[in-house]
Amino acid sequence: MTEPEPLRPRAPITAANVLAWLEETAEAVRAGAVSADDLIAVLGELRRASAACADASDWALLAAREEGASLRQIAPVFGKGYVRAPAARLEKLHRQALNSQQWLEILRERASV
């Protein structure tokens, strides 16, 4: 019997998705099909989505460490490859949650308020 392939999680949105949406929306704005009120509404949606992505990123950072990833392995996704960035982020997160499950519980509590 063959073993099932492991789940490979993907981000729910990509930079390419955002750029495609942005180009389409910019064209609609240039054509006069989008009002200022519509843009203000989407600005609010984007700000909330940005915060949600940051929270998800924090969860993934905690979970990666729990699964044995080193700071050197994680560092490249923070930019220049310095371990200081993920280490500092982990330190800040650990003031609120000791692990990814606790962080998820915090996020659930925030969402229910």
Side-chain angles (χ1 to χ4, degrees):
M1 183 173 185
T2 62
E3 291 190 32
E5 287 194 32
L7 173 67
R8 182 172 165 119
R10 300 277 185 207
I13 190 166
T14 65
N17 297 136
V18 172
L19 181 58
W21 171 85
L22 185 56
E23 288 173 347
E24 178 182 313
T25 304
E27 187 176 314
V29 169
R30 282 191 302 275
V34 179
S35 71
D37 286 341
D38 292 335
L39 292 170
I40 292 167
V42 81
L43 174 61
E45 291 172 11
L46 289 167
R47 304 273 304 162
R48 288 185 296 277
S50 177
C53 284
D55 288 339
S57 173
D58 287 343
W59 175 86
L61 173 60
L62 287 165
R65 284 292 284 171
E66 290 165 24
E67 291 302 310
S70 72
L71 290 175
R72 290 197 186 284
Q73 289 173 295
I74 295 167
V77 300
F78 275 76
K80 303 193 186 273
Y82 299 120
V83 296
R84 289 183 300 234
R89 189 68 198 141
L90 279 168
E91 185 177 324
K92 185 174 181 182
L93 283 168
H94 283 151
R95 290 185 207 128
Q96 298 174 64
L98 296 177
N99 58 47
S100 62
Q101 185 59 38
Q102 284 182 341
W103 185 243
L104 189 54
E105 290 170 17
I106 290 169
L107 298 179
R108 286 183 188 129
E109 287 176 21
R110 284 185 196 165
S112 68
V113 174

